[in-house]
Amino acid sequence: MRVAIVHEWLVTRAGSERVVEQLLQVWPQADLFALIDFYSEADRAHIGGRHARTTFLQNFPGARTRYRSLLPLMPLAVEQLDLSSYDLVISSSHAVAKGVLTGPDQVHVSYVHSPIRYAWDLQHQYLRESGLLGGPKAWLARWLLHRIRIWDYRTAAGVDQFVANSEFIARRIRKVYGRDSVVVHPPVEIDAFPLQEQKQDYYLCASRMVPYKQMPLIVEAFAGMPGRRLVVIGEGPELQRVRALAAPNIEVLGYQPHAELRRHMQAAKAFVFAAEEDFGIMPVEVQACGTPVIAYGRGGARDTVLPPESSSHPTGMFFEAQTVDAIRAAVDRFEALAPRFSPQACREHALQFDEAVFRRRIAEVVDEACRRHPRFSRQTATAQE
């Protein structure tokens, strides 16, 4: 079969790009497509030095740094990719990649990191954070997002099989598109995070410091627990606010190289995670190090953390509200139940999200989608005759 893999943009190597890397390992003969491709040579090495076939957005002024502002043009751009000669199309989609045009004799499997967040249930949050609450620009943004929602819903009909990266996203796919999906968790490079059984007496939170990550909330919670030490790693627009909230028991390190971040992940007694993520790779990486997780109990964390209520070998626990009091109560409960959390149990659980597991599962799902498709089922029947 001729195989095409479609992604939105290749700019920085993040979680969705790691999915593309693994897809290319499963289907090394595939051709790669993207709206834009500005990968560095170091990042490109992870996709075998490939260059994606791109769209007219590649040559737009400022596309390298302000590509998100081109969202109104992205539906048009992705429809210009000519995939008519391919038997199998696999889209890796968190915005518009699932909207590629395919025909009745092609199989389209869409791995969805999320339906377009800022066009659906997170629209109002996006408009608030962008300062688009009133005036002509705000109404233009609302109209454009309305049009994108119509397009996004309509193009869901062109997908033969949806694959969600978590149960949370599977529910979002059902809500937005009215379609069922198969859950295949994204790949995590477990071997890059070795187990360490000896822990030190501090908690860790680490993330990009953007509003939805709720880093100031964690710092404020620990500022009221002077007997418990917190180490904070990350950078971003919320860093100054985090520094202002920090108390003597809180060490704000800012940006740290990967090796230093990993050292803290291995040594911490627990990792505190307050974001509502679609999946959330860092909690899995932390568990691979043998470190339990105290997480906000919504979103992808429900897929990746085993609480004491549901497992005899727990790997963490949840707090049910993004509040200071909820975080403090969860930390108190973690301290009380500390003997139940085993570094080995955390590591064993994390192995379920390894890259090899992802490759096997996604291959099975795609093979099953092809077997069910009328074109390939007819070919199988003819071959058997």
Side-chain angles (χ1 to χ4, degrees):
M1 289 198 302
R2 292 202 67 197
V3 181
I5 294 174
V6 186
H7 189 53
E8 270 94 12
W9 48 75
L10 296 170
V11 179
T12 58
R13 185 173 180 249
S16 61
E17 286 72 32
R18 291 169 192 262
V19 167
V20 172
E21 293 169 15
Q22 297 301 311
L23 292 175
L24 288 169
Q25 287 197 36
V26 179
W27 291 278
Q29 81 280 19
D31 291 326
L32 180 61
F33 294 81
L35 298 177
I36 57 174
D37 180 359
F38 293 112
Y39 248 9
S40 67
E41 289 310 307
D43 288 342
R44 198 173 302 284
H46 292 279
I47 55 173
R50 297 166 183 259
H51 288 260
R53 303 183 191 184
T54 58
T55 69
F56 63 85
L57 297 181
Q58 180 77 15
N59 299 316
F60 257 59
R64 180 186 294 269
T65 56
R66 301 185 60 190
Y67 53 92
R68 286 186 174 86
S69 67
L70 301 176
L71 176 65
L73 295 174
M74 288 181 184
L76 174 63
V78 79
E79 291 178 346
Q80 306 314 304
L81 294 173
D82 184 1
L83 306 179
S84 58
S85 63
Y86 293 90
D87 305 297
L88 170 64
V89 175
I90 304 172
S91 59
S92 164
S93 184
H94 52 71
V96 300
K98 80 159 207 346
V100 291
L101 301 179
T102 56
D105 284 336
Q106 295 174 287
V107 179
H108 179 189
V109 177
S110 186
Y111 187 93
V112 177
H113 308 276
S114 176
I116 310 175
R117 301 173 186 89
Y118 26 84
W120 291 99
D121 52 315
L122 298 184
Q123 173 189 282
H124 302 295
Q125 177 182 328
Y126 162 74
L127 292 172
R128 281 196 305 272
E129 292 176 358
S130 302
L132 295 171
L133 296 177
K137 287 185 178 180
W139 285 109
L140 176 60
R142 292 171 189 274
W143 181 81
L144 288 172
L145 292 172
H146 170 70
R147 299 300 302 174
I148 286 172
R149 277 193 295 277
I150 294 172
W151 175 88
D152 193 35
Y153 177 80
R154 178 182 59 78
T155 57
V159 176
D160 296 289
Q161 176 66 63
F162 277 104
V163 184
N165 73 351
S166 68
E167 294 290 347
F168 177 63
I169 294 304
R171 294 195 298 274
R172 188 176 274 170
I173 289 170
R174 162 56 66 180
K175 189 82 168 182
V176 169
Y177 304 137
R179 298 281 300 278
D180 290 329
S181 57
V182 177
V183 174
V184 177
H185 297 118
V188 182
E189 193 179 359
I190 298 298
D191 288 345
F193 298 89
L195 171 66
Q196 179 172 308
E197 297 191 32
Q198 298 302 314
K199 303 299 179 182
Q200 298 179 25
D201 190 21
Y202 70 87
Y203 292 84
L204 173 69
C205 65
S207 176
R208 289 181 297 116
M209 294 198 188
V210 292
Y212 87 94
K213 295 288 189 177
Q214 300 288 341
M215 295 287 274
L217 183 70
I218 299 172
V219 171
E220 185 178 356
F222 274 82
M225 296 186 288
R228 288 171 183 155
R229 183 180 165 216
L230 176 70
V231 173
V232 183
I233 294 177
E235 62 180 349
E238 298 261 86
L239 179 57
Q240 291 307 311
R241 186 177 169 207
V242 164
R243 291 192 190 278
L245 290 167
N249 62 313
I250 299 170
E251 186 177 5
V252 181
L253 299 181
Y255 168 79
Q256 294 294 306
H258 178 73
E260 187 66 12
L261 170 61
R262 182 176 58 195
R263 184 180 72 81
H264 280 90
M265 292 164 71
Q266 292 173 311
K269 66 157 59 175
F271 180 74
V272 186
F273 187 74
E276 180 180 331
E277 291 277 17
D278 300 330
F279 176 72
I281 286 179
M282 189 170 284
V284 179
E285 295 171 341
V286 166
Q287 290 173 82
C289 296
T291 303
V293 177
I294 302 172
Y296 179 45
R298 291 186 61 182
R302 284 286 178 183
D303 286 35
T304 61
V305 178
L306 298 176
E309 299 83 7
S310 63
S311 175
S312 58
H313 300 286
T315 66
M317 59 176 42
F318 299 120
F319 51 94
E320 299 302 327
Q322 289 173 314
T323 66
V324 165
D325 288 342
I327 293 174
R328 290 175 182 168
V331 172
D332 288 342
R333 187 159 176 261
F334 174 81
E335 292 277 351
L337 298 176
R340 292 193 59 186
F341 298 98
S342 152
Q344 296 89 348
C346 292
R347 176 75 180 185
E348 287 298 318
H349 180 58
L351 288 171
Q352 300 177 37
F353 304 94
D354 188 59
E355 293 171 325
V357 176
F358 172 84
R359 291 194 297 269
R360 183 179 71 248
R361 287 283 295 120
I362 196 67
E364 291 170 350
V365 171
V366 171
D367 286 349
E368 177 60 25
C370 290
R371 281 195 295 270
R372 289 199 313 268
H373 194 276
R375 173 187 172 185
F376 295 101
S377 60
R378 285 197 304 270
Q379 290 178 349
T380 302
T382 302
Q384 290 173 344
E385 291 172 2

